[in-house]
Amino acid sequence: MTTSAFVEIKNAAKSFGKLQVLKDINLTVERGQIVAIIGPSGSGKSTLLRAINELDPLSSGEVWLEGVQINRHLPPRQYEKHVNQVRQDIGMVFQHFNLFPHLTVRGNITLAPRMLKGLSEAEANTLAEEQLTKVGLLEKIDEYPSRLSGGQKQRVAIARALAMKPKVMLFDEATSALDPELVEEVNLVMKQLAEEHMTMIIVTHEMDFAASVCDRVLFMDQGVVVEEGPPSVIFQNPVEERTRNFLRKHLERNGN
Amino acid sequence: MGLDFSVVPSYFGLLLQGMGLTIAITTGAGILSFFGGIVFAVAALYAPMIIRLPMRGFAFLFMGTPLLLQLFLIYFGLIQFGIDLPAFVAGVIGLGLHFAVYNSELIQASILAVDKGQYEGARTLGLSRSQTLRRIIIPQAVRAVIPPMGNNMIALLKDSALVSVIGVMELTLAAQQAISRTYRPFEFYLAVAFCYYIINLALEAGLRHVERRIKASR
Amino acid sequence: MDTDLILRVYPFFIEAAWVTIQLSILTTILGLTCGALGAAARMSRSWILRAIGATYVSIFRGTPALIQLFILYFGGPQIGIQLDAFEAGVIGLGVNIGAYMAETMRGAIESVDKGQREAARTLGMSRGQAMRKVILPQAMRLMIRPLGVNINALIKGTALVAAISVVELTYTAQRYIGSTYKPFEMFMLAGILYMIIIYVVGVVIAWLDRKARIT
């Protein structure tokens, strides 16, 4: 048990069948820190993120949230209750939004607070309006997701996650599925969250964004953390060869 | 013997009563087949093995044998158990269960086809497995198969004529009553066919309306 | 489970099953014929034929088969049609299932890639030639499984003739339920025989389907 570490991952390992995707990862995130995880596809970065809220539980290793360990070894029913409880404190935003198509935006945002935190309809509605105003989409509150653009859907998804007042927000390639002109509006919301000192772990391909927002950058490759440090170091003067290669290829591809 | 349709109007009252019962049976069995379908589907996918296996056998049996035979079984079988149900109830149960099984197959496939991301989105918010099923997965799965379930409803309406055989005074039996007094089968069965056709058209229009409303919210 | 009873009466059920099989075969043949005619009518260039086809399909799919059977068997004599129950069963059910098969066939034909039609016509074939040499052969392959579904429904539909006293499986089951008060045993006996018939037909359909795909 360490210090004021908000999220801590110790000796994380994960295999899918014979394929070992994570090999002994250690990660510590302080309260209010914003950490970016970059790396080629297959490096295990999404898997690591998804292990934090037990979406893809680790094969071995520990996950600690605010000094409490997520206990993977409970009997099934207790484990379920435990994990459901923990997940209320962790917000996640997906590459493909995963909004509920049969509910309006309002419905999407108020569902979990009403079901899990016992908010009344009025309280939930106020909460929804607050969160939507924050992401700049209040006027869409009674629309169905199918009527929204990609960027709008993702902002609603962020509002939905925020409505549960999480302690940490996980972003799994939140802008990778968006048309380029829609990326900025989502980045703005994320920047805003950063300014409000939300603890964030961001898996991303957007190096510029990572550089401008994050306190720390982790470069992962083939299941291990190759290098980590502040953006100024990682992006300007990476130590490791692999990091340099990855960044170079990325720059070539994006014509920066 | 020839045809003489003039006898039909004097039996309008009787036929109307029969129509009322046909609509009642169709509605009752329809509701049973809708909710029954959901229950069976969830059980078939998520219940423990000890329930799932007999269910598969039961579904297999109900889909592989004629509805009429099943109606006989339920009506006379229940009497054997000491439950003396009115034919109407046996008819609604028989029709309802029969179509519930068919609907269940549709719904099962649809549940399995719901995007995995929907589970993840819901579980990530902290919803339990059953909450996710109830509020996120099943609503979407059922919405997706309303059209084919609608077709089942239409089949149900037509099959409701079969409960006349176990003595329910719906449209078909009403016609038979009229025939027993006038000896004019052609005229009355034709009239009754017309009635079914009209109810069918109304049902189809209703279903199209429902389908359109569902499309609006997708 | 009264096994003695089952052993005593099963021969009657086997006999009745045979009647069911005969009904099924004859009805299928009639159904396929009506279906082909109906589909052709619905896709014809003449609007009269199209209207007739659409009306046929709409009426026979929009009213209960039982009523159609009753009109034919009980009402037939009034317009000069005297059929015995078996005949009425075959004709009534055959024409009924024909309406469903017409739609199945039409669906299969329309689902053949539009490009096929265009290619054939561009080569100079007439509409009829394109249909016969290019579209239909492909549609046949696509039809087999869905027609199998229709036939499946048909086999179960033969039970309706029990209502006009044809001694087939369901009639026999009902008769013995009435005299022995053992509905479950009689249901199982009839049910198993129906399922065997359906299973065998299913195997044949699957085989036909596989053969059609190899070419």
Side-chain angles (χ1 to χ4, degrees):
Chain A
M1 229 295 273
T2 29
T3 51
S4 66
F6 216 51
V7 176
E8 225 188 315
I9 298 178
K10 295 189 191 162
N11 307 115
K14 172 77 182 173
S15 302
F16 287 104
K18 287 217 193 106
L19 182 64
Q20 187 164 25
V21 177
L22 295 175
K23 306 170 189 161
D24 195 32
I25 308 254
N26 290 286
L27 170 65
T28 308
V29 180
E30 306 288 337
R31 185 191 301 264
Q33 264 196 344
I34 299 158
V35 175
I37 306 181
I38 62 174
S41 30
S43 56
K45 43 190 208 299
S46 278
T47 312
L48 181 62
L49 199 72
R50 290 160 62 97
I52 297 177
N53 67 353
E54 296 281 304
L55 218 50
D56 287 330
L58 294 172
S59 308
S60 69
E62 300 166 13
V63 180
W64 293 74
L65 181 63
E66 247 193 327
V68 177
Q69 186 184 11
I70 296 182
N71 190 344
R72 219 169 303 119
H73 302 292
L74 291 171
R77 264 210 208 122
Q78 284 174 280
Y79 171 71
E80 252 243 11
K81 282 184 95 170
H82 172 62
V83 167
N84 290 342
Q85 197 60 43
V86 170
R87 283 177 180 158
Q88 289 184 33
D89 294 329
I90 306 177
M92 188 157 195
V93 176
F94 298 86
Q95 185 176 355
H96 296 287
F97 333 124
N98 290 341
L99 289 180
F100 307 133
H102 62 300
L103 301 174
T104 57
V105 165
R106 185 198 298 268
N108 264 272
I109 300 180
T110 56
L111 178 71
R114 289 192 68 185
M115 272 193 100
L116 305 174
K117 295 200 166 159
L119 262 61
S120 71
E121 196 182 330
E123 290 168 339
N125 277 329
T126 315
L127 180 60
E129 286 161 18
E130 259 171 44
Q131 300 305 325
L132 277 176
T133 311
K134 224 167 148 196
V135 302
L137 282 172
L138 184 58
E139 73 274 12
K140 300 283 184 188
I141 193 168
D142 285 308
E143 291 276 12
Y144 282 96
S146 56
R147 310 286 221 98
L148 305 176
S149 76
Q152 290 170 331
K153 283 189 201 158
Q154 196 60 298
R155 285 191 277 154
V156 170
I158 295 175
R160 180 177 70 175
L162 289 175
M164 289 298 280
K165 309 275 189 219
K167 297 179 179 154
V168 52
M169 285 284 281
L170 307 176
F171 291 85
D172 190 359
E173 302 207 27
T175 52
S176 295
L178 295 176
D179 290 332
E181 66 270 18
L182 299 174
V183 169
E184 189 55 34
E185 62 194 68
V186 176
N187 284 345
L188 278 170
V189 172
M190 288 170 74
K191 276 203 179 113
Q192 199 188 326
L193 278 178
E195 277 159 30
E196 291 169 6
H197 305 295
M198 168 68 76
T199 313
M200 293 158 74
I201 305 178
I202 305 174
V203 168
T204 185
H205 286 307
E206 308 238 331
M207 308 301 165
D208 296 336
F209 180 69
S212 68
V213 168
C214 305
D215 304 315
R216 277 164 61 210
V217 178
L218 265 74
F219 171 63
M220 277 183 72
D221 190 17
Q222 292 179 11
V224 294
V225 176
V226 173
E227 193 174 343
E228 79 171 271
S232 52
V233 172
I234 299 290
F235 289 121
Q236 252 96 17
N237 268 323
V239 172
E240 299 286 331
E241 178 77 40
R242 279 199 274 175
T243 319
R244 279 201 290 267
N245 284 339
F246 172 72
L247 288 171
R248 202 176 357 110
K249 278 201 210 117
H250 180 89
L251 285 169
E252 281 168 5
R253 243 184 298 130
N254 288 24
N256 271 16
Chain B
M1 197 163 106
L3 298 176
D4 177 19
F5 284 89
S6 64
V7 294
V8 177
S10 34
Y11 287 88
F12 269 170
L14 185 62
L15 291 182
L16 220 58
Q17 265 184 331
M19 214 163 30
L21 234 74
T22 289
I23 294 175
I25 291 177
T26 305
T27 309
I31 294 175
L32 181 58
S33 75
F34 181 80
F35 291 104
I38 297 177
V39 170
F40 287 165
V42 172
L45 288 174
Y46 302 108
M49 245 323 183
I50 203 171
I51 296 184
R52 265 191 291 150
L53 234 42
M55 277 201 73
R56 272 238 63 82
F58 172 72
F60 196 57
L61 208 61
F62 259 63
M63 288 197 292
T65 53
L67 175 57
L68 191 56
L69 190 62
Q70 293 163 19
L71 285 173
F72 286 149
L73 171 68
I74 290 179
Y75 186 52
F76 294 105
L78 288 172
I79 290 183
Q80 194 188 36
F81 270 123
I83 310 174
D84 192 7
L85 286 177
F88 176 84
V89 178
V92 170
I93 293 178
L95 276 172
L97 278 181
H98 179 89
F99 283 97
V101 172
Y102 281 97
N103 282 343
S104 155
E105 295 293 300
L106 287 171
I107 297 174
Q108 280 180 60
S110 188
I111 287 178
L112 292 172
V114 173
D115 189 69
K116 184 159 160 262
Q118 291 293 303
Y119 280 99
E120 294 184 350
R123 297 308 305 281
T124 292
L125 286 166
L127 267 68
S128 73
R129 253 197 300 221
S130 68
Q131 286 170 329
T132 303
L133 249 189
R134 251 189 309 130
R135 300 294 222 103
I136 307 299
I137 306 300
I138 290 179
Q140 292 185 52
V142 169
R143 250 163 251 246
V145 291
I146 295 278
M149 284 210 287
N151 288 340
N152 283 347
M153 256 310 255
I154 291 175
L156 196 159
L157 166 67
K158 288 180 284 178
D159 283 339
S160 71
L162 292 174
V163 303
S164 62
V165 178
I166 56 173
V168 183
M169 267 296 286
E170 41 69 76
L171 199 46
T172 305
L173 196 50
Q176 287 169 347
Q177 285 229 320
I179 292 169
S180 68
R181 291 179 220 169
T182 62
Y183 299 98
R184 298 215 157 262
F186 193 90
E187 290 87 334
F188 279 101
Y189 283 131
L190 198 65
V192 152
F194 181 71
C195 293
Y196 276 109
Y197 192 72
I198 300 294
I199 302 178
N200 195 341
L201 285 178
L203 188 55
E204 280 180 0
L207 281 167
R208 268 198 302 269
H209 177 79
V210 170
E211 279 174 37
R212 249 177 302 132
R213 283 198 62 192
I214 292 200
K215 274 216 167 95
S217 72
R218 292 202 124 245
Chain C
M1 179 75 78
D2 189 345
T3 37
D4 280 329
L5 175 64
I6 294 180
L7 289 169
R8 254 190 301 132
V9 300
Y10 85 84
F12 299 109
F13 279 76
I14 305 274
E15 250 188 75
W18 181 229
V19 175
T20 294
I21 293 175
Q22 287 174 293
L23 280 166
S24 302
I25 293 178
L26 293 170
T27 312
T28 301
I29 296 175
L30 181 57
L32 287 170
T33 312
C34 291
L37 290 172
R42 289 210 65 179
M43 295 187 298
S44 127
R45 252 177 307 183
S46 140
W47 71 266
I48 302 176
L49 281 176
R50 276 204 307 272
I52 294 179
T55 311
Y56 164 56
V57 167
S58 177
I59 291 184
F60 282 86
R61 288 199 323 167
T63 54
L66 189 65
I67 299 292
Q68 294 164 22
L69 206 55
F70 285 170
I71 292 180
L72 184 61
Y73 183 60
F74 294 116
Q78 285 172 266
I79 53 176
I81 300 177
Q82 296 269 20
L83 297 166
D84 74 42
F86 188 90
E87 291 165 351
V90 172
I91 296 177
L93 291 177
V95 174
N96 174 271
I97 204 77
Y100 291 90
M101 288 183 167
E103 286 301 279
T104 302
M105 293 178 181
R106 187 173 72 95
I109 291 174
E110 285 180 1
S111 73
V112 173
D113 196 312
K114 189 159 153 268
Q116 294 291 304
R117 210 162 321 215
E118 293 175 353
R121 299 304 306 280
T122 325
L123 284 168
M125 291 192 210
S126 74
R127 209 169 162 267
Q129 287 168 326
M131 181 61 81
R132 262 180 299 126
K133 296 289 190 173
V134 177
I135 308 293
L136 273 179
Q138 295 187 56
M140 294 287 201
R141 236 167 284 170
L142 295 170
M143 283 186 207
I144 295 178
R145 278 209 176 275
L147 281 177
V149 172
N150 288 138
I151 293 177
N152 193 308
L154 186 164
I155 297 174
K156 288 182 280 187
T158 59
L160 261 57
V161 303
I164 54 178
S165 305
V166 175
V167 185
E168 43 72 74
L169 262 179
T170 301
Y171 181 88
T172 306
Q174 166 58 347
R175 185 161 142 233
Y176 282 96
I177 289 178
S179 62
T180 69
Y181 296 99
K182 300 265 179 188
F184 285 95
E185 285 85 340
M186 299 301 102
F187 173 79
M188 288 310 295
L189 209 42
I192 288 175
L193 287 166
Y194 271 113
M195 290 198 281
I196 292 177
I197 297 175
I198 289 177
Y199 177 74
V200 170
V201 169
V203 167
V204 171
I205 299 282
W207 176 78
L208 279 171
D209 185 50
R210 258 197 323 266
K211 276 212 76 183
R213 281 179 204 281
I214 289 178
T215 11

